[in-house]
Structure formats: C-alpha cells, structure tokens
Amino acid sequence: MKKLIFTLFLALICSFISAQKQEVFKIDSLPKQGVLLKEGWKWQAGDNPNFAKADFDDSKWEGIDPTRDIYYLPQVRKSTVGWLRIHLDIDSALLNKALAFQIKQTAASEVFLNGKRLKSYGVVSNQAEQVKAFDPAQEPSGLLFNQTNQVIAIRFSVQERLPYFAYNNPFVFFRFRIREVQDTDRFNQNRLFLQYMNLIYGGLFLLLGLIHLGFFISFPKKKANLYFSLFALSASVANFLYFYTLRNNDIGINVYAAIIEYIFLCSFFGLFLLLSIHNLFPKPKGLYFWFLVIYSLFGFVIGIYSFKWGFRLGFIVPLFLCNIASFRIALSAYLQGKRAANLLVFGIGGHIVLYLGFILMMLGILPYSPIGNDFLLMDLFYHSSMVVISLSFSIYLAREFAFTSKDLEKKLEEVQQLSAENQQILATQNETLERQVEERTAELKASQNQLIQSEKLASLGELTAGIAHEIQNPLNFVNNFSEVSAELVQEIKEERQKPKENQDESLVDEIFNDISQNLEKITLHGKRASSIVKGMLEHSRTSTGVKEPTDINALADEYMRLSYHGIKAKDSNFNSDYQTDLDENLPKIEVIPQDIGRVLLNLINNAFWAVNERCKKGEAGYEPKVIVKTSSLSSGEGRGEVCVEIIDNGTGMSETTKAKIFQPFFTTKPTGQGTGLGLSLAYDIVTKGHGGALEVESVEGGGTTFVVKLLIV
C-alpha cells in the first residue's frame, strides 16, 4: 500500500514538473523551402528588457500564431510595445552551420537570440507617433546556432491607423523562417524573377496603352482605342505599383500603394474594358450600364472599410460584373457575324476563367501549388489572364485600324479619280465664274459710285438747307427795313402835300435820317447774305483737289451753325444746345477746304443725330449738347498738328460698333436714313487725302468724341 501511494505521489510530482516545462519548437532538419516558425510562439504586452533573456520564465504568457493577418490579431494592434518569444530545440547536425533567417512583417521589430540583439527593422517605440513599421521582405540575415537550446525573442510595435485590407499579398503580423544560406540565394532569384515579371508586364501594358493612344489621336472618331489605352495604362500603373511594393519596405506607404494598385487593377481595368467594347458594339446605355460605372468608380470604398468582405465586394465583384457584361456584348457581336468578334470572345472569356482561378487560389478556395520555390500557380493564372485579354483586344483594334485605313485608301482613290474627272469641268466653270465675277465687279463699282454720289448729294442737300436757314436772318432784316423805309417815304409824301406853311421840316429831316439808317442796315445785311452765299458756294462746289491755307476755326464755326440750322429746318421739333471752343492762336493750315468741310459737316450731323436719338428716350434731366473744339499740338519732331474734336453726349457706341464704324456701308441709323458711306469717306479724306488721322472715343450710353488730326506743314 505504501509503495502504491509513493508511486502515485511520484507520478503527481512528475506531472507537475512536466506542466511547468516550457513549450519547445523542435527543428530536426531544414528543407529547401526552410522551416516557418508558426507554432510555439508566446506573446506579452508591455516592455521589459528581461523579456529578451533566455532564462526568463514565459510559461504564463499567452500562445499566439503571429503568421496570421494582423487584422485578426486585435490584441497585438492595441499594444504600443509587445514581445514575442519562442523556444527552439535544434538538432546537433545544424549546430555551428551557416544558416539564415527571413522575416516578413507588418510591424517594427527587434530580433534577439538568447538575449543578444541580432537585427532591427523599423522603429520600435513606446511613443505611438514615433513607430515606423518596416517589412524586410524576407531579406536573408545570418544566423548561427552553437547549442541545441535556443530562445528567440522579438520586441515589436505596430504602426497605428493604417487602412489594412485583405488581398493576395496579406499584411501578416510576423513570419520568421529559417533556411540554409545556399537556399536563400535561390529564393532571392525567384523573388527578383517575380519583381521583374511585374516590371515587364507594366512596360508591356504601357507600350500597348501608348500605341492605342496614338491610334486614337490618328483617328479620334474611334474612341474604343482611347478606352483601351486607359484600360492598358490602368494595368500598367497597377503592375508598376506592385513592383514598387515588392521592393519597398515602408509598411505605411505599401498599405496606401496597395489600395491604389487595386483601384487601377480592378475598378478602372474592368470599367475601361466595358467602355471600350461598348464603343465598338454600341448598345443602349440602360440602368445596368450606369450601375456598373458607378459601382466601379466608388466600390473601392467598400474594399477599404470592410476587411472581411470589402476586397471581394469592393474590387472583385465589380471587376467580374464588368467583364461578364463585356463578354456578353462580344458574344452578341460574334453571333451577329461582326468581323473578328471571335477574338474578343476568346480574349475576354479566357481572362474571366483564368482570373477567376487566380482569385479562388488567392482566397484559399483552390490550392495554389508552387511552381518553384516562391513562384505560385496563381501567379501564372494572373499573368496569363492579363496577357490573353490585352493581346486579343489589341490585335482586334489593330485589325480594325488596318481595315479603316484600307477603307480610307479606297475612298481616297475614288476621290482622286473623281477629282481627275471633274478637273476639266472645274476649269471650264472657273473661266465662266471669272467672267461673271468681272461683270459683277463692274456692276458693283458702278453701284458703289452711285452710292458715293448719293452720299455727296445728301451732304449737299443738308448744306443747302443750312445755307437757306443761315441767310434767312439777313434777308428778314432787309425785308423789314425795306418795308419800314417805304412807309417813311409815304409819310414824306403826305407831309409835302400839305400847304407849305403847315409843313414840318424838322419831321421831314428826321424821317430822312431814319430812311438813311435803314438803307445802311439794308446794305449791311445784304452784304452779309451775299458773303454767306459766296462762302458756301465756295465750300459746296466740286473739290479742285488743290490745298490752300485755311482757317479751321472759321470752317468749324460755319459748319456747326449750318449743320444745326439744316437739321432744324428738316425737323421743327429738334432742339439741342451747341457750343464752340476755338483756339484763337490756331494757325492756318494747307488743306482742301471743300473736303475738310464735308468731313466736319458729316461728323457734326452725326453728333446732332446721336443727341436727338437719346433725347427721344425721355431721360429725366437729360440736356442734349454738341461741342466743337479746336487746338494745336506739337508732335515732338518740329512739326505740329491741328486737332478738331466733335463732342456729343448722345447714345454712344459699343466696342463692337466702334470697331466697324469706319467700314464702308456700315451704319447704325435706321434703314433709309443713312448709306453707311459718310464716315468711310470722311476717314479716306482725312487719312489718305491729307495724311492725318481720324479717331473715335465712345462709351455706350455716355456720348462720343471724334478727333480730326491734321498736320501743320
């Protein structure tokens, strides 16, 4: 009985000792792919330098599989600093042998072996904002075991607020693999092969994108080339980004780069494929089409904010829906007998099958057997799916471009043939047209001469009306004084008929004095009327073309009054104030007075017309006014010029009207009130006939100023 009790007690002691014994990961040998340390890890939040020591008791620490995606380890994400530990039992055959370890991680870490730090990756810190996650991307580091019992400790920190999402290159928390040194060389070669394959594919898609962009620029109506170019460039950007993330170690950058990569690889890739084939074989753009467009553009939001289903719903589903819609359009075109549509059916169908296989392997539904140490079957499916759709689509569009070019060549030949046939007809028609143009030109010149003559006659009519009104005043004086003188003569006769003794000689003398004064006034006003008629006849007669010294002040004053009275004679309701501001020191200049007179008369008439038009609008407080101002200026070269300004506060002109005002036949007056030649003739007289300048300044609704500049010789 005592022996039985002792045996049970001994067994209990052994059991207790066994329970306290540390869990150990045993490594007997190293295959070519190495040994992944997945089991036997323990972890603890917090920071203590003793955690790195080999003899530290971690039996109460929590077990963990650090090779999982960091999203599924919330306890790790919440700790600012934490530790991982694993105990190894190394086979004696591996002692003192050149080994290497490889780490892939989504954190910052420091690696310790038996308390001695071997390597640091990133920045581990108790301050969250200082943590810098770093992925060494399985870059080999030397490792040497000199005893069978080993303890590996990992001090780590997780960078906060990074938008992790599930995809084929998962953000694993921590993966530690041990290999022999010679096997790491093979791994590096396979890793470089994967990187450069993505680089080559990126370059291939970039080349395709640029080629079809060139096709689109050459033939813009074929927008399918533009959409395929964007499709290929999207794949190019995705492959270049993936190449970048394979070579970049900064986890913070890689997380965002991966999001952008899948936006281009899934969202834009499928959308531009759909737009391209939809442009090739147009279909009504129904609700389903616009749903796919919106889903493709904004589906990535789901991919970021829903870890478990986001990648599938935000990236994979819209891509496959767009591909299926594209396949349906291509199949329909093939069944309708569209040229070479079978190429698209093969390309899109093959892409769907191969890419579906890639996705199923990536999600773990199908096994992704390695085709080398690190190149997987799912990589082959992915690259094959991208090649088959891109090349088939590119070949189809290239063939279409070739067919289009041939059609254009045929049409060009037809056009050239028609051109040759019609060349003789066109030559004959050209001769007929030239003859007709000459006839029409002669008729047009005759009509133009008639219009110019009409404008001159209109000016002469206005001048005549002004002359008649101007000489009316002195004629009225002559008539009035003549009548008064006749009455005085009658009074003398009556006085002479009285008896001589009753005659008043003083009265007769006074009457004779009045008659004498009246005759002087009649003579004065008669001469005034004569001088007006003589002067106006000189101004209105046909121009001799001879320049003579002319008083511009006198010319301006005379034509101001003639213009006013001429308009007043035609329109009794017309009323406007007018004023002259004449430079008394103005010298006489060599001009053709008749021509300059016509210019001034035309400009002053236009000014009075403008103020009258504004007056008709009934603006409160508006007082129409026209001013003629003369002045002399020095040109700075020893020569001066005389300026005549015709200023009105009328309707003014817009910038558009001002730009056309001197063009022949352009007028702002109503039909029948102007020929449109007055200002054109005035411009020619001043600039061509006298070498001067005619300028205009105007504000719409605020008045106009015409400036005539004539050189002083």
Side-chain angles (χ1 to χ4, degrees):
M1 186 64 178
K2 290 182 179 180
K3 290 183 179 180
L4 179 60
I5 293 173
F6 178 77
T7 303
L8 292 174
F9 178 75
L10 185 61
L12 182 63
I13 294 291
C14 292
S15 175
F16 177 77
I17 294 173
S18 176
Q20 294 296 319
K21 191 176 182 181
Q22 299 286 1
E23 185 177 352
V24 176
F25 188 90
K26 186 173 181 61
I27 301 178
D28 296 325
S29 62
L30 290 177
K32 289 185 178 182
Q33 68 272 19
V35 173
L36 176 64
L37 304 185
K38 185 175 182 181
E39 300 171 354
W41 287 97
K42 293 186 177 183
W43 88 283
Q44 176 68 38
D47 197 13
N48 187 337
N50 293 327
F51 292 169
K53 296 180 179 179
D55 57 357
F56 180 79
D57 183 9
D58 57 17
S59 60
K60 294 182 180 180
W61 284 18
E62 181 183 348
I64 190 174
D65 178 6
T67 63
R68 298 181 66 194
D69 196 304
I70 193 170
Y71 178 84
Y72 295 109
L73 299 172
Q75 70 277 29
V76 170
R77 298 202 309 272
K78 293 177 182 178
S79 57
T80 305
V81 177
W83 284 78
L84 294 171
R85 285 173 58 90
I86 188 171
H87 294 261
L88 302 178
D89 182 8
I90 308 299
D91 189 270
S92 59
L94 299 176
L95 298 179
N96 299 312
K97 189 174 183 179
L99 304 177
F101 68 89
Q102 296 171 299
I103 292 178
K104 179 176 177 59
Q105 63 181 15
T106 314
S109 66
E110 296 176 356
V111 181
F112 296 85
L113 178 63
N114 298 326
K116 181 181 179 182
R117 187 164 66 179
L118 299 180
K119 204 78 173 179
S120 294
Y121 301 108
V123 178
V124 180
S125 175
N126 288 297
Q127 303 297 322
E129 64 275 7
Q130 296 180 3
V131 175
K132 191 74 171 178
F134 183 92
D135 180 15
Q138 303 189 68
E139 184 67 30
S141 294
L143 183 65
L144 184 67
F145 295 129
N146 53 18
Q147 61 186 32
T148 57
N149 297 323
Q150 303 286 330
V151 176
I152 295 177
I154 309 296
R155 181 174 179 254
F156 68 85
S157 291
V158 177
Q159 190 170 334
E160 295 181 351
R161 295 184 295 275
L162 291 181
Y164 301 112
F165 73 105
Y167 78 119
N168 67 308
N169 190 19
F171 295 105
V172 298
F173 167 48
F174 185 80
R175 183 183 293 168
F176 194 101
R177 186 186 298 273
I178 301 175
R179 285 183 170 176
E180 293 190 17
V181 172
Q182 61 269 23
D183 294 329
T184 61
D185 294 336
R186 189 179 300 106
F187 163 78
N188 284 334
Q189 293 174 3
N190 291 333
R191 182 164 168 262
L192 288 173
F193 174 73
L194 180 61
Q195 292 179 11
Y196 289 117
M197 274 198 68
N198 280 276
L199 185 62
I200 291 170
Y201 277 113
L204 174 63
F205 289 127
L206 176 62
L207 180 62
L208 287 176
L210 295 177
I211 289 173
H212 286 276
L213 182 61
F215 286 166
F216 169 72
I217 293 172
S218 300
F219 192 57
K221 291 184 178 180
K222 203 73 170 179
K223 290 186 178 180
N225 279 302
L226 173 63
Y227 294 131
F228 180 75
S229 174
L230 295 174
F231 160 85
L233 292 175
S234 297
S236 175
V237 171
N239 277 274
F240 283 137
L241 280 173
Y242 187 61
F243 170 78
Y244 173 76
T245 57
L246 288 174
R247 299 177 66 87
N248 182 61
N249 302 108
D250 191 321
I251 293 296
I253 295 176
N254 282 356
V255 171
Y256 291 102
I259 293 172
I260 298 172
E261 171 195 343
Y262 270 85
I263 290 175
F264 279 95
L265 183 63
C266 295
S267 303
F268 293 166
F269 188 86
L271 175 61
F272 289 129
L273 174 66
L274 176 62
L275 291 173
S276 182
I277 198 166
H278 204 284
N279 185 264
L280 284 174
F281 310 112
K283 297 283 185 182
K285 296 179 179 178
L287 183 63
Y288 181 67
F289 174 84
W290 293 114
F291 166 76
L292 288 180
V293 171
I294 296 172
Y295 193 4
S296 297
L297 291 176
F298 300 102
F300 72 91
V301 178
I302 304 173
I304 296 174
Y305 289 102
S306 175
F307 185 86
K308 188 173 182 180
W309 295 99
F311 177 68
R312 303 173 190 181
L313 296 178
F315 293 110
I316 303 304
V317 172
L319 172 63
F320 269 99
L321 289 178
C322 286
N323 286 346
I324 291 171
S326 300
F327 180 76
R328 182 177 62 85
I329 295 173
L331 183 61
S332 174
Y334 171 72
L335 295 176
Q336 293 174 10
K338 299 290 185 181
R339 182 175 55 201
N342 58 326
L343 273 173
L344 298 180
V345 173
F346 168 76
I348 300 175
H351 170 73
I352 291 174
V353 172
L354 292 169
Y355 203 80
L356 179 61
F358 161 71
I359 294 298
L360 293 176
M361 293 178 189
M362 185 186 70
L363 297 176
I365 299 173
L366 291 178
Y368 49 91
S369 306
I371 305 175
N373 286 349
D374 288 278
F375 189 72
L376 305 176
L377 182 62
M378 71 176 185
D379 294 324
L380 178 63
F381 270 58
Y382 164 74
H383 292 296
S384 300
S385 69
M386 301 295 279
V387 169
V388 70
I389 190 171
S390 301
L391 290 184
S392 62
F393 220 102
S394 180
I395 292 171
Y396 176 83
L397 290 174
R399 288 187 57 172
E400 285 297 301
F401 187 81
F403 282 125
T404 303
S405 299
K406 289 181 180 179
D407 290 340
L408 290 175
E409 288 178 1
K410 289 181 180 179
K411 291 179 180 179
L412 181 61
E413 291 177 359
E414 293 174 359
V415 169
Q416 290 175 344
Q417 184 176 358
L418 289 173
S419 177
E421 293 174 355
N422 292 331
Q423 188 173 4
Q424 185 62 37
I425 298 174
L426 289 174
T428 304
Q429 290 179 344
N430 284 338
E431 294 177 0
T432 304
L433 288 173
E434 287 176 2
R435 184 173 63 256
Q436 292 177 349
V437 166
E438 290 176 357
E439 294 173 357
R440 296 290 186 274
T441 301
E443 294 175 1
L444 182 60
K445 286 182 178 179
S447 299
Q448 186 174 1
N449 291 333
Q450 290 176 359
L451 284 172
I452 293 173
Q453 187 63 28
S454 174
E455 180 69 24
K456 290 181 178 179
L457 291 174
S459 298
L460 182 60
E462 293 172 352
L463 182 62
T464 303
I467 292 171
H469 197 278
E470 181 73 7
I471 66 176
Q472 187 66 43
N473 287 333
L475 289 177
N476 287 338
F477 278 111
V478 169
N479 291 334
N480 291 335
F481 285 122
S482 297
E483 291 174 0
V484 170
S485 297
E487 292 174 357
L488 292 174
V489 170
Q490 185 63 33
E491 288 181 11
I492 292 174
K493 288 180 180 180
E494 292 175 355
E495 188 68 26
R496 291 299 185 189
Q497 291 175 357
K498 292 180 181 181
K500 193 169 182 180
E501 59 275 8
N502 294 330
Q503 293 181 2
D504 188 350
E505 292 297 330
S506 62
L507 176 62
V508 172
D509 291 338
E510 183 180 346
I511 292 173
F512 274 120
N513 288 334
D514 289 341
I515 292 173
S516 176
Q517 291 176 2
N518 288 348
L519 290 174
E520 289 177 359
K521 292 179 180 179
I522 289 171
T523 302
L524 175 65
H525 289 289
K527 290 180 178 180
R528 168 63 181 161
S530 177
S531 66
I532 291 172
V533 171
K534 182 180 178 181
M536 291 304 98
L537 287 175
E538 289 178 356
H539 293 317
S540 62
R541 72 175 184 264
T542 302
S543 173
T544 60
V546 178
K547 293 181 180 180
E548 56 187 67
T550 304
D551 185 350
I552 297 297
N553 281 342
L555 207 63
D557 180 67
E558 200 73 39
Y559 277 99
M560 168 66 92
R561 289 184 289 102
L562 288 175
S563 175
Y564 176 80
H565 292 307
I567 296 175
K568 187 73 175 176
K570 292 191 293 184
D571 183 1
S572 60
N573 295 323
F574 171 75
N575 188 30
S576 174
D577 186 16
Y578 65 91
Q579 175 185 336
T580 56
D581 182 7
L582 307 176
D583 185 355
E584 296 179 356
N585 299 320
L586 203 68
K588 290 185 177 182
I589 59 174
E590 295 283 338
V591 296
I592 304 172
Q594 296 84 359
D595 289 350
I596 297 300
R598 288 194 184 97
V599 171
L600 296 178
L601 181 63
N602 184 279
L603 295 177
I604 296 170
N605 283 345
N606 287 344
F608 279 126
W609 181 86
V611 298
N612 191 37
E613 287 297 307
R614 185 173 179 181
C615 195
K616 290 178 182 178
K617 296 180 180 179
E619 298 180 21
Y622 174 66
E623 296 181 0
K625 188 173 185 179
V626 175
I627 300 173
V628 174
K629 179 180 179 182
T630 62
S631 61
S632 60
L633 298 173
S634 173
S635 65
E637 299 177 357
R639 302 175 66 185
E641 59 185 11
V642 169
C643 292
V644 183
E645 298 177 57
I646 295 88
I647 307 166
D648 70 71
N649 63 345
T651 55
M653 291 180 284
S654 66
E655 290 297 324
T656 303
T657 301
K658 192 163 63 173
K660 301 178 181 179
I661 198 68
F662 295 121
Q663 294 179 6
F665 308 109
F666 177 80
T667 180
T668 58
K669 296 179 181 179
T671 304
Q673 295 189 26
T675 62
L677 289 172
L679 286 175
S680 175
L681 289 173
Y683 186 82
D684 288 344
I685 289 171
V686 173
T687 58
K688 297 178 181 178
H690 291 79
L694 179 56
E695 301 171 354
V696 61
E697 299 174 2
S698 183
V699 177
E700 191 169 7
T704 301
T705 299
F706 280 94
V707 182
V708 179
K709 296 181 179 179
L710 299 169
L711 292 176
I712 301 174
V713 179

